[in-house]
Amino acid sequence: MINIVDTKLANVAAIIVTHNPIIYNFDKLIRKLQNQVFKIVIVDNASTNIDSILSITICYNNIKIIRLKQNMGIASAQNIGIRYGIKARSHFSLLFDQDSVIPDDFVQKMLIDFLTINKNCSLGILAPVIKDIRNGHFYPFLRLSKHGFRKKIHPNINSKIPFSVSCVIASGSLINNEIIAKVGLMNEELFIDYVDTEWCLRNLTKGYSIFVTPNVIINHEIGDSYISICDFILPIHSPSRRYYRVRNGFYLLMLPHIPKLVAIREIFFSFVHQIILYFLTKNKEYIKFYYYSLRDALIKINDTYYHRKS
């Protein structure tokens, strides 16, 4: 790990994946970031409002825009951005979704905590606390046992002590690029859902730690909207987006570093979530895309099984 005393020498590359962003929110993120990192890499997944994106970024000299001809998914776009940053000699990759809102001292605080934690353990990724600006809800984190039993960790924002977890949300996360060379890049087959979960659990199996710092809070919205049921916040995504959530639960089942209990739980709750969304919206597309996801997952499982036998 590079010994960095001055955080300005850390060469942080911020990677933002865009796909039809709300321009006002995207502009706010760019304005906050441009003085905090040495490079901003925007990987655009074929946005229809690309002209608006270009008009915002044209006046900054530390921004690189990589335009993709089609939507290749968040994992592929993140990998393209990470590779570009590493080639530009960045020491860290800072991942962002297009609508996250960060404070002015975000990068400095993240780097200080990262370097402090890394003195005592091999830290692969550090994440901030995530707050949903729509309802003030602080998203909990998960700590998993070896066999996949879950413990929810609710962040104490009055604490100054970072804590270890098993999974974090990608947006706002700071990654040590030296670890990427050992753990590998994001799993592009997952396309969007569980990309961060899979990569985090792969880190743990390689012996690298994952921490969250309560010293940094970012605003981030999960889902197009949400519903509250008792103490649960259920994000609402489009039927086509739900396809990946359901399908990828089965994909996790085939990965040796994912505890089977984790994958089975996600498969079950994706089914429950889908039923809730259908009855709330009466949108038959949720049933149609659920069928598509099951069909494609079973084809994948079948192909994998026969490939291993042969």
Side-chain angles (χ1 to χ4, degrees):
M1 178 66 191
I2 296 170
N3 181 21
I4 303 166
V5 177
D6 186 347
T7 57
K8 292 180 181 179
L9 303 179
N11 279 18
V12 176
I15 291 99
I16 307 172
V17 177
T18 55
H19 179 65
N20 301 328
I22 298 172
I23 294 301
Y24 174 76
N25 294 341
F26 174 70
D27 184 36
K28 281 176 62 177
L29 178 59
I30 293 295
R31 289 176 184 274
K32 290 282 188 179
L33 270 178
Q34 56 99 14
N35 287 324
Q36 297 191 53
V37 297
F38 97 103
K39 196 75 176 180
I40 298 174
V41 184
I42 299 167
V43 185
D44 182 72
N45 264 323
S47 292
T48 56
N49 57 349
I50 185 63
D51 289 341
S52 297
I53 294 172
L54 294 173
S55 67
I56 287 172
T57 58
I58 196 170
C59 57
Y60 301 115
N61 58 14
N62 66 333
I63 294 180
K64 169 68 177 180
I65 298 181
I66 302 173
R67 297 174 59 179
L68 305 180
K69 294 181 179 180
Q70 60 183 1
N71 186 353
M72 296 176 63
I74 196 166
S76 180
Q78 285 174 341
N79 288 344
I80 290 169
I82 290 168
R83 288 193 194 100
Y84 181 90
I86 291 174
K87 190 174 180 180
R89 299 189 178 181
S90 65
H91 302 146
F92 293 91
S93 294
L94 183 58
L95 303 182
F96 280 106
D97 290 348
Q98 60 197 18
D99 55 358
S100 296
V101 181
I102 64 171
D104 293 329
D105 55 357
F106 175 82
V107 177
Q108 183 183 46
K109 283 187 174 180
M110 289 289 288
L111 276 170
I112 290 171
D113 279 355
F114 193 109
L115 297 173
T116 301
I117 298 166
N118 197 65
K119 291 176 182 177
N120 300 313
C121 66
S122 296
L123 183 58
I125 183 168
L126 178 68
V129 169
I130 307 291
K131 181 181 179 181
D132 193 323
I133 196 171
R134 297 168 298 189
N135 53 28
H137 174 71
F138 289 94
Y139 284 96
F141 295 87
L142 293 181
R143 191 175 292 155
L144 301 174
S145 71
K146 177 182 177 181
H147 299 292
F149 290 100
R150 302 160 26 116
K151 180 181 180 181
K152 276 190 177 181
I153 309 296
H154 293 274
N156 178 5
I157 59 172
N158 295 317
S159 170
K160 299 296 182 184
I161 303 173
F163 53 93
S164 65
V165 297
S166 299
C167 306
V168 295
I169 296 171
S171 191
S173 295
L174 185 66
I175 297 174
N176 175 2
N177 284 344
E178 291 181 0
I179 301 300
I180 290 175
K182 300 169 185 176
V183 174
L185 290 162
M186 307 300 160
N187 186 333
E188 297 183 6
E189 195 170 24
L190 296 176
F191 196 81
I192 184 165
D193 280 297
Y194 298 118
V195 171
D196 39 20
T197 298
E198 185 277 329
W199 195 80
C200 285
L201 294 180
R202 203 179 339 141
N203 264 264
L204 293 179
T205 61
K206 299 287 187 180
Y208 301 111
S209 300
I210 299 165
F211 272 73
V212 173
T213 173
N215 296 312
V216 186
I217 299 171
I218 70 168
N219 292 324
H220 181 69
E221 297 178 3
I222 299 178
D224 304 321
S225 57
Y226 68 93
I227 53 174
S228 251
I229 301 177
C230 298
D231 292 330
F232 294 96
I233 302 290
L234 293 181
I236 298 178
H237 291 105
S238 68
S240 58
R241 169 65 191 277
R242 287 289 305 167
Y243 164 87
Y244 294 102
R245 190 75 179 176
V246 175
R247 187 201 68 173
N248 289 356
F250 289 92
Y251 278 24
L252 295 181
L253 198 59
M254 296 182 287
L255 297 175
H257 56 281
I258 307 293
K260 297 296 184 246
L261 189 61
V262 170
I264 291 169
R265 184 189 183 281
E266 294 305 317
I267 291 169
F268 173 75
F269 279 100
S270 283
F271 169 73
V272 174
H273 196 165
Q274 204 81 356
I275 294 298
I276 291 172
L277 289 174
Y278 170 70
F279 281 107
L280 282 176
T281 65
K282 303 300 180 184
N283 186 347
K284 293 181 180 179
E285 293 285 293
Y286 282 108
I287 300 299
K288 182 175 75 173
F289 277 97
Y290 188 77
Y291 163 75
Y292 291 157
S293 62
L294 287 180
R295 178 199 63 189
D296 294 347
L298 291 175
I299 290 171
K300 174 68 175 178
I301 290 171
N302 184 66
D303 290 346
T304 301
Y305 173 75
Y306 280 106
H307 177 74
R308 286 175 180 173
K309 283 192 71 176
S310 60

